Amino acid sequence: MNMLAIPDIDWGSIGPELSLIGTAVAVLFLDLFIRQKSKESLGYFTVLGMVIALAFMLLEIIGVSRPFGGMIVIDGFTCFFTVLVLGVAILVTLMSIHALRDEEMDAGGYHVLVLLATVGMLLMVKGMDLIIIFLGLETLSVAVYVLAGYRKWTNQSAEAAFKYFLLGAFAAAFLLYGIALVYGATGTTNLEGIARYIEATGLGTNSLLLVGVGLLLVGLGFKISLVPFHSWTPDVYEGAPTAITAFMAVGVKAAAFAALVRVFGGGLLALDFQWKDVLWVLAVLTMTFGNVVALSQTNIKRMLAYSSIAHAGYILVGVIAGGELGWSAVLYYLLAYACMNLGAFGVVLFYGQKAEANVEIPDYAGVGFKYPFLGAAMAVFLFSLAGIPPLAGFVGKFYVFSAAIKSGYIWLTIIGVMNSLISVFYYFRVTVIMYMKEPVKDVALEYAGPIMAVLIIALVGTIQIGLFPTFYLERAVDSIKWLLT
Amino acid sequence: MDYPVLSYVIFLPLIGVVLLLFLDREKEKLLKGITLVVTLVEFFLSLPLAFNFQAEMAGMQFTEYVDWIPTLGIAYRVGLDGISLWLVLLTTFLSVIAVLACWEDITLHVKEFLICLLLLETGMVGVFVALDVFLFYVFWEVMLVPMYFLIGVWGNPARRIYAAIKFVLFTLVGSLLMLVAILYIYFYHHSVTGQYTFDLLSWYTLSLPHSAQLWLFMAFGLAFAIKVPMFPFHTWLPDAHTEAPTVGSVILAAVLLKMGTYGFLRFNLPLFPETSVDFVPVISILAIIGIIYGALVAMVQADVKRLVAFSSVSHLGFVMLGLFTFNLQGIQGGIIQMINHGLSTGALFLIVGMIYERRHTRMIAEFGGLSRVMPIYATFFMIVTLSSIGLPGLNGFIGEFLILLGTFRTNVVYAVFAATGVILAAVYMLWMFQRVMFGEVTNPKNEGLSDLTKREVAVLLPIVVFIIWIGIYPKPFLKPMEATVSGLIQRVEQRVEIRNTSAPGALRIKNWKALDLPREQGGQG
């Protein structure tokens, strides 16, 4: 009698996810029994769960394995992104603790949703099958839709959640449709299978496959907020709680880029002559649009939203350049971007105070000299985002652009550096306000432990991986080597 | 030297920064005192560079090497040659002066001001000694940030922000394109030698193809031309100089502008020798336009500081003209003129700052007859003015004379036009001096002005000593650069010869060498 072959379940390979889910369930229960006053402990408990997940990941890097019938893959690439995503999740949780208390938001549900969103990201990162990637993306999205609307008593937050949900649902449908078409053309959803099939049949011009690939790009491009799929970004970033904005700008983007590199650099590599030109155009549009529109923003969250669009454009340059140098540049850039952007959002969150009262750029007048540490930290993050050496952002850009030049994309690089020049204007403008204007508002800051820890970690990271990038560059290159085999 | 003297000189100011960070911001005198000590120690640390310099060596000295980012072929490579020697010393020397000069001038956010000053010093020294192109680029950009704050925070309230942003954006336009060019050469070097490296000295051995050289020269050249600044990229300079606080203007004029001319010497000439020679007419004509235009605009300024700022455009035109003569006199004159301009324009900004502290105005029309009220001030002002216009016996003469001599040997027409710049300089400087210092005291506000304090004399005196020393006996300053400059000229000559013998007729470079005067006779001025 023929039994359905059920693949062995390799529990260890999904250890991080399991420990996150376990933590989420535990937080849900604990939430019932903990008094309102000590809800902060839930945050620390969540962080503990994430650290355990991190430990699971670090324990099992021993080589490439493809458990669950090749649906997921554990390799250096997975490891790099898992560490990155978990690191982001830890910092975001720490950052949220005092905001949750100040705003009297429901801490339990919040932490559970962050945990589940992180599970989704981890799945996206290790998905070797389009189905798993879709599954991860949806798990992540549903949690983040709710989180975006977590300050539901404000109109902006409600708008953010609704807008993100509607547009996100569309994008997910595009992605799913794309998967269906790719399946129709190749007969498989497994990335390796797709790659083999394209190689064997030379399907480079099959229109069914190409339309499918285009739709995949739309679906992933939405999460990365590539122009022209970006229109949700500013409103959602502005309306969502600041910590969640940081989570979306850094964590979601990293996971989506991981999937993009896996799908386009892995499964669809043989088609690169088809998609590279498209990505070229998208990269130019994304960089230019993000930077030019950021120039005229007055709300700092909105400005950082547009800046994150622009950064997605730079990262895309690395994807286009491809190869060992290009993709490791993507990885390194995402790491650098995570440090500096989390730091910048951390300052925005901290200085924003209760009910996000100080998120307009003019509110920052005089911060530099009034709060020397906060001002200096923000200045470092902004300079790094602007690409001033020797900070992380500079090395990231340097690495991405050198990959582009190596692959012969000189014009793309010139457009990129000119964009970087535009961005200097709006990043420096914030430092102008902070250091060269007199204070207009009296903001009394109360230093809180967790958020200070986040700022210090981000600050040290931004400086350290900028000054001594060797270790991180080597990890990035190693991760890519495993992807290429 | 048995210790890494260059690293000490680069990083000592950073130690100063760390010290300052931990000190109470209220104790302003202590903060200033510590900064003064740091810059003094720094200056004395840099002196052995001059004493132990092997003048007959053309190559790099005091070199150091530490792996930094080996995966990309980036290392911490520093070294010093005859071109950079005096620039480093000028930097450490003027940093001491700058701290002394800000003693009473700066009262707001003193701690941050001093931190910026020290960071700037690290950046400036780093630029002049970096032999790794990546390292050079890092220092080149790092220096932007403290200068931006100096102008933006402590500048003249009305337009400081505009000036600060303009300074940053102008500098970055050039340097970002230079970054693209740097990356191009990096990969070209790999394709030829199979080795990824940012080592400038091994880049020197490359022979870049003609078509690429053109673009690379323009990308590097734009970055440096903006910094120099050459006409027509000079428009940031009057704003930045005028709005910056006195100390900012001094450093900007004395050291930052030299980075542009230094960049041409260190990168454009040796990396793209053939194209550099092709570009001689373009650069020379732009330089001459700068000389005459700067002088004419300076003449009509009502604000003394703006006048000095425009005089920089004129003086730096001389330097550029000298560098692109490709003979010993011209290039040596260009380098010594960089130092001269640093000393005399630095001193001029200090002098303007001193009167501004007393009267809170810099308008020429507000003054008149100051020499009666402030005789010591008048004396210093006179010496520096004469140095700036190139009076024989003072330093400015040596530089301008060598440059004109070098230019005359390659192109008489250029020399004639450039020489008018010397005359115009005398017109605008002396006319200004006359209106400010001589005549009756017409404005009652000027009557009670106090003369220079001891501190102010201590600020100006060392500069004047060097002004006279270089003017009377320049040999110790010219000697160390001779071997390096000859080496550079030789390299250019060889490469042009190779192209002339191998390339088709259209690409040959004719008549670029100096008129056939024996080189030894040109001598030391």
Side-chain angles (χ1 to χ4, degrees):
Chain A
M1 195 172 125
N2 276 341
M3 292 276 286
L4 187 63
I6 295 173
D8 287 335
I9 293 182
D10 177 3
W11 294 106
S13 68
I14 51 169
E17 286 84 347
L18 290 178
S19 80
L20 290 183
I21 292 171
T23 314
V25 173
V27 169
L28 268 184
F29 271 104
L30 284 173
D31 189 28
L32 298 176
F33 304 108
I34 286 184
R35 268 176 289 127
Q36 193 61 36
K37 261 196 275 180
S38 46
K39 293 273 184 194
E40 281 168 43
S41 54
L42 285 178
Y44 296 113
F45 186 76
T46 308
V47 170
L48 181 70
M50 288 167 175
V51 171
I52 293 171
L54 202 58
F56 265 114
M57 187 68 241
L58 295 176
L59 282 180
E60 61 179 295
I61 2 166
I62 358 152
V64 187
S65 69
R66 305 234 157 107
F68 289 91
M71 296 281 266
I72 63 173
V73 55
I74 309 293
D75 57 7
F77 190 78
T78 310
C79 178
F80 186 95
F81 273 103
T82 306
V83 172
L84 179 62
V85 163
L86 283 172
V88 170
I90 288 171
L91 292 184
V92 166
T93 309
L94 279 176
M95 199 169 156
S96 316
I97 288 175
H98 98 279
L100 286 170
R101 185 195 57 206
D102 285 353
E103 303 240 354
E104 291 166 11
M105 288 193 274
D106 168 26
Y110 182 96
H111 292 310
V112 170
L113 287 166
V114 170
L115 282 164
L116 293 179
T118 312
V119 172
M121 290 179 196
L122 295 188
L123 280 178
M124 266 177 100
V125 161
K126 60 174 59 160
M128 198 54 188
D129 192 298
L130 289 173
I131 297 293
I132 294 289
I133 291 175
F134 178 75
L135 208 64
L137 187 105
E138 277 302 279
T139 312
L140 147 73
S141 299
V142 172
V144 177
Y145 296 149
V146 182
L147 284 169
Y150 222 71
R151 299 172 66 236
K152 53 183 178 287
W153 53 91
T154 67
N155 286 338
Q156 288 99 326
S157 190
E159 183 197 341
F162 198 62
K163 199 167 205 165
Y164 194 26
F165 170 65
L166 269 187
L167 293 174
F170 261 105
F174 273 108
L175 183 68
L176 200 54
Y177 199 22
I179 295 174
L181 292 182
V182 171
Y183 179 76
T186 63
T188 175
T189 54
N190 188 288
L191 290 176
E192 244 187 334
I194 294 171
R196 269 201 303 271
Y197 194 84
I198 294 174
E199 224 160 278
T201 56
L203 263 177
T205 51
N206 180 314
S207 49
L208 192 61
L209 179 64
L210 288 183
V211 173
V213 170
L215 294 176
L216 286 183
L217 185 61
V218 176
L220 290 173
F222 176 83
K223 278 280 173 281
I224 300 169
S225 56
L226 296 180
V227 176
F229 318 115
H230 67 285
S231 57
W232 58 277
T233 316
D235 289 332
V236 175
Y237 279 20
E238 188 187 348
T242 309
I244 296 308
T245 310
F247 194 47
M248 284 191 279
V250 179
V252 176
K253 197 164 276 194
F257 261 111
L260 187 80
V261 172
R262 260 268 206 247
V263 172
F264 284 81
L268 301 170
L269 187 57
L271 283 180
D272 66 350
F273 62 97
Q274 297 280 13
W275 53 258
K276 271 199 175 169
D277 292 341
V278 179
L279 287 193
W280 196 99
V281 176
L282 289 186
V284 170
L285 285 177
T286 307
M287 288 188 283
T288 314
F289 180 85
N291 279 321
V292 171
V293 182
L295 286 176
S296 61
Q297 300 307 314
T298 57
N299 179 296
I300 196 150
K301 282 168 82 176
R302 256 185 121 76
M303 186 204 94
L304 287 173
Y306 281 107
S307 112
S308 86
I309 294 178
H311 281 278
Y314 302 133
I315 302 172
L316 204 55
V317 172
V319 178
I320 297 165
E324 188 182 295
L325 197 59
W327 292 323
S328 61
V330 171
L331 266 57
Y332 179 84
Y333 200 109
L334 282 167
L335 178 69
Y337 174 74
C339 282
M340 59 199 183
N341 222 26
L342 276 179
F345 274 112
V347 174
V348 172
L349 175 72
F350 190 24
Y351 189 71
Q353 294 285 301
K354 201 166 181 184
E356 302 192 358
N358 311 306
V359 289
E360 296 296 318
I361 294 176
D363 294 338
Y364 281 75
V367 171
F369 290 113
K370 202 169 163 199
Y371 299 105
F373 172 74
L374 199 69
M378 188 62 165
V380 168
F381 298 134
L382 291 168
F383 288 145
S384 176
L385 285 164
I388 301 289
L391 302 168
F394 166 72
V395 184
K397 269 185 193 148
F398 180 83
Y399 205 39
V400 164
F401 291 142
S402 48
I405 292 213
K406 191 187 183 196
S407 309
Y409 292 99
I410 292 185
W411 278 108
L412 188 60
T413 312
I414 291 178
I415 296 171
V417 294
M418 285 297 110
N419 263 292
S420 178
L421 179 72
I422 301 174
S423 76
V424 164
F425 186 81
Y426 62 83
Y427 293 127
F428 273 54
R429 200 172 50 130
V430 179
T431 62
V432 164
I433 306 271
M434 286 198 309
Y435 284 95
M436 302 171 199
K437 298 267 178 173
E438 291 306 312
V440 284
K441 256 187 175 178
D442 197 29
V443 182
L445 287 187
E446 195 187 319
Y447 283 86
I451 184 116
M452 288 302 282
V454 172
L455 291 183
I456 290 169
I457 293 170
L459 192 62
V460 171
T462 305
I463 295 170
Q464 209 251 329
I465 68 177
L467 266 181
F468 304 104
T470 312
F471 174 79
Y472 307 96
L473 290 175
E474 279 169 359
R475 293 295 79 72
V477 171
D478 286 352
S479 313
I480 289 303
K481 270 184 194 138
W482 286 358
L483 180 77
L484 290 173
T485 50
Chain B
M1 304 298 285
D2 47 1
Y3 63 97
V5 56
L6 281 180
S7 291
Y8 286 5
V9 177
I10 295 174
F11 294 113
L12 182 76
L14 284 188
I15 297 172
V17 169
V18 175
L19 268 178
L20 289 185
L21 279 179
F22 289 103
L23 285 174
D24 186 4
R25 60 177 58 253
E26 302 298 322
K27 294 180 182 151
E28 296 182 357
K29 279 275 171 291
L30 177 69
L31 293 168
K32 283 174 179 163
I34 286 185
T35 315
L36 182 64
V37 171
V38 170
T39 49
L40 270 175
V41 173
E42 167 91 350
F43 177 60
F44 286 113
L45 267 178
S46 68
L47 281 181
L49 293 175
F51 298 143
N52 297 330
F53 191 84
Q54 313 280 318
E56 61 284 356
M57 246 177 86
M60 289 294 165
Q61 308 184 24
F62 307 105
T63 50
E64 291 170 36
Y65 175 96
V66 181
D67 258 343
W68 183 15
I69 312 176
T71 33
L72 299 178
I74 295 168
Y76 172 80
R77 300 179 175 92
V78 292
L80 197 73
D81 66 359
I83 297 170
S84 44
L85 170 67
W86 296 119
L87 290 168
V88 171
L89 284 164
L90 179 74
T91 308
T92 56
F93 172 67
L94 278 168
S95 295
V96 180
I97 302 284
V99 178
L100 273 177
C102 78
W103 211 263
E104 265 143 41
D105 187 17
I106 301 296
T107 48
L108 191 70
H109 309 309
V110 174
K111 182 170 165 178
E112 285 81 0
F113 183 87
L114 297 170
I115 290 177
C116 282
L117 217 53
L118 289 175
L119 282 177
L120 201 57
E121 190 173 4
T122 290
M124 293 186 298
V125 174
V127 165
F128 291 132
V129 301
L131 291 183
D132 182 282
V133 185
F134 184 88
L135 186 69
F136 167 82
Y137 191 82
V138 167
F139 280 126
W140 172 270
E141 297 248 298
V142 154
M143 197 196 68
L144 264 185
V145 173
M147 197 64 222
Y148 157 77
F149 280 116
L150 281 190
I151 301 175
V153 178
W154 293 275
N156 187 15
R159 293 175 75 234
R160 58 182 188 191
I161 295 174
Y162 169 78
I165 292 274
K166 195 171 177 183
F167 165 74
V168 168
L169 290 183
F170 264 68
T171 312
L172 276 176
V173 175
S175 53
L176 285 168
L177 288 176
M178 177 169 77
L179 181 64
V180 179
I182 289 175
L183 289 171
Y184 183 91
I185 303 179
Y186 172 67
F187 289 110
Y188 183 82
H189 184 272
H190 173 252
S191 70
V192 174
T193 64
Q195 192 196 359
Y196 284 118
T197 179
F198 280 96
D199 180 8
L200 182 62
L201 298 182
S202 53
W203 284 18
Y204 279 172
T205 58
L206 284 178
S207 186
L208 291 150
H210 180 70
S211 55
Q213 267 198 32
L214 180 69
W215 293 107
L216 296 171
F217 181 93
M218 299 223 282
F220 274 85
L222 181 69
F224 300 138
I226 290 172
K227 203 84 178 178
V228 170
M230 288 186 74
F231 181 88
F233 308 111
H234 64 282
T235 58
W236 64 271
L237 176 124
D239 288 315
H241 269 175
T242 316
E243 308 310 322
T246 302
V247 173
S249 309
V250 171
I251 294 187
L252 200 56
V255 185
L256 259 65
L257 303 189
K258 306 307 169 311
M259 291 181 180
T261 43
Y262 170 79
F264 274 105
L265 268 176
R266 179 66 78 223
F267 293 91
N268 282 42
L269 301 191
L271 280 175
F272 326 116
E274 299 96 322
T275 309
S276 298
V277 173
D278 285 340
F279 264 81
V280 166
V282 180
I283 300 276
S284 302
I285 288 171
L286 285 180
I288 290 169
I289 294 177
I291 292 174
I292 296 175
Y293 169 86
L296 289 177
V297 180
M299 215 182 290
V300 297
Q301 293 305 315
D303 177 337
V304 189
K305 205 173 180 187
R306 229 175 149 78
L307 182 148
V308 178
F310 273 105
S311 81
S312 287
V313 177
S314 186
H315 282 137
L316 269 297
F318 271 107
V319 176
M320 288 306 294
L321 189 67
L323 299 187
F324 277 76
T325 56
F326 293 100
N327 56 45
L328 190 64
Q329 291 85 358
I331 296 183
Q332 272 198 330
I335 299 173
I336 201 79
Q337 187 65 1
M338 288 189 216
I339 309 298
N340 292 338
H341 175 263
L343 293 171
S344 41
T345 308
L348 278 175
F349 277 120
L350 288 169
I351 284 169
V352 175
M354 287 168 186
I355 195 71
Y356 182 77
E357 272 177 52
R358 289 170 170 72
R359 283 280 277 108
H360 297 283
T361 178
R362 297 181 303 245
M363 293 297 151
I364 296 174
E366 290 276 324
F367 300 110
L370 288 188
S371 62
R372 285 157 201 268
V373 195
M374 307 168 70
I376 306 177
Y377 180 76
T379 314
F380 278 113
F381 200 169
M382 191 73 223
I383 297 173
V384 175
T385 303
L386 293 175
S387 138
S388 176
I389 63 179
L391 186 83
L394 296 176
N395 63 346
F397 174 73
I398 307 296
E400 283 177 1
F401 181 76
L402 283 173
I403 291 171
L404 289 174
L405 189 70
T407 313
F408 189 85
R409 285 179 55 196
T410 52
N411 192 319
V412 179
V413 182
Y414 294 163
V416 169
F417 275 100
T420 60
V422 182
I423 302 165
L424 289 173
V427 175
Y428 65 78
M429 286 304 291
L430 291 180
W431 189 33
M432 180 270 288
F433 191 79
Q434 181 204 348
R435 282 179 291 166
V436 172
M437 303 307 289
F438 294 146
E440 294 302 314
V441 182
T442 47
N443 192 333
K445 283 184 201 157
N446 291 332
E447 269 163 15
L449 291 180
S450 56
D451 209 340
L452 297 188
T453 63
K454 280 184 193 139
R455 179 185 61 84
E456 286 169 326
V457 172
V459 168
L460 291 175
L461 197 60
I463 303 185
V464 170
V465 168
F466 280 105
I467 285 179
I468 297 174
W469 184 0
I470 301 180
I472 294 175
Y473 189 58
K475 198 172 175 192
F477 296 92
L478 290 169
K479 187 80 187 131
M481 58 180 83
E482 207 172 283
T484 312
V485 173
S486 304
L488 175 66
I489 296 170
Q490 250 174 26
R491 192 206 318 277
V492 175
E493 279 177 356
Q494 276 170 5
R495 294 279 293 277
V496 172
E497 284 307 319
I498 292 173
R499 190 166 100 190
N500 277 357
T501 49
S502 63
L507 283 176
R508 282 194 197 147
I509 302 167
K510 299 173 197 94
N511 301 332
W512 67 280
K513 255 198 243 167
L515 300 174
D516 283 330
L517 293 171
R519 188 175 291 152
E520 293 73 27
Q521 268 183 24
Q524 306 293 324

